[in-house]
Amino acid sequence: MKLSNLARNMGGSAIRAMYNEALKMTDTVSFTVGEPDFITPQVVIDEACDAWQRGLTHYTPNAGIPELRQAIAEYHKDDLKPDFQSEILVTCGAMESLQLALLTLADPADEVILITPAWANYFGHIAMCGAKLKEVRVTEETDFVPTVEQVRQAITPKTKLIMINSPSNPTGAVIDAETLKGLAELVVEHDLFAISDEIYSRLVYDRLKYTSITSFPGMRERTVYISGFSKMFAMTGWRLGYTIANPDIIRAMTKLHENSASCLPAPTQLAGARALRDCQDDVDRMRDIYEKRRNLIFDLVSDMPGVKVKKPKGAFYLFVSIKELGIKSADFCMDLLRKTGVVTVPGTGFGDAGEGYIRITYATSDENIIEGMRRMKQYLVEKLG
Ligand code: PLP
């Protein structure tokens, strides 16, 4: 059987590899999957249950039910100010938005700039549209934020768009307003697009003011803004995300969506609208808890020998340098797992630029953080003799 080139070349997730290995063990403490450990707010669950009971079991409009698009427009009334009829598309998670955005904007001859280490699925999405990946590599020396000059140097006549993810998975980096402004100017100057994945925009710490690239001159019409309910409202399993972009892009993405997921269940969408309307306090409550956990885990990791860590400003990931140990990150993570039961993800799961790092997700309880980091410290102390 000969499968397509795409299917044969699509990489497996490093998270899965660790997860599968961990399944063979007992007494593990996991810091792998990037999802909130909270349960979706009860009113959201009730809203969906009620809708199912009322028999809302049919297909819905491809772009999303008006109630949800109106709620999204209302939520963004002070920043993107989208027209709910023509500038919003509801998708199967931010994941589908990302895939459709790339398929809508990039052809195989085009180059797509990606700041790496980057969320693993971006590599898959770029491969699926056939475009050429152009990496801009960042390290902890610049807090995992690219310089405008680095990005300028990556631009060629074939560049079509740049992907932005701030706060970032896997590094937790938040791109500062000054750099975003510089990137926006590059996009306008070179007649490019930006795909801005802002799914973690509500998870920013230290009272930092969040800035979106869409806020700079000329960027609202050149940006495909992507977000979703997974991280904000602890709704990963609901598979609900959305795109805001200019009407031409939304129309094209909606056609592609019609040919893939088609539409989302009405109860899920009504639940999303309810979350946006009534659960903003829950978002703040969860954010405050993540911030406390970030402080806790940062202090614990900073106290370990052989590793270095910068305090992340957003999302719920710590990207820890193990370069001093001189071990490949995949080998380190596997050895740490087998000897201590602590499950982490090798930085190489986020591109080659992630070699020398491991990702630790802190969307887990204080008890897990304390126990997992105790084991990791002991492992490092013994290793370094
Ligand atoms: N974008 C980033 C940066 C993510 O980390 C994730 C999930 O981990 C997603 C998008 C996917 O979000 P969704 O669950 O809405 O598909």
Side-chain angles (χ1 to χ4, degrees), residues 34 93-95 98 119 122 165 169 197 199-200 230-231 239:
M95 182 81 95
L98 283 155
W119 182 47
Y122 292 146
N165 172 219
N169 175 6
D197 176 356
I199 195 157
Y200 294 102
S230 289
K231 319 289 171 168
R239 310 309 305 124

Side-chain angles (χ1 to χ4, degrees), residues 74-105:
E74 176 66 20
Y75 176 65
H76 285 286
K77 71 178 185 322
D78 295 326
D79 50 19
L80 288 99
K81 304 179 181 62
D83 170 47
F84 92 90
Q85 309 244 37
S86 63
E87 293 191 311
I88 298 173
L89 169 66
V90 173
T91 56
C92 183
M95 182 81 95
E96 193 203 358
S97 280
L98 283 155
Q99 190 186 349
L100 298 183
L102 275 158
L103 286 168
T104 296
L105 294 176

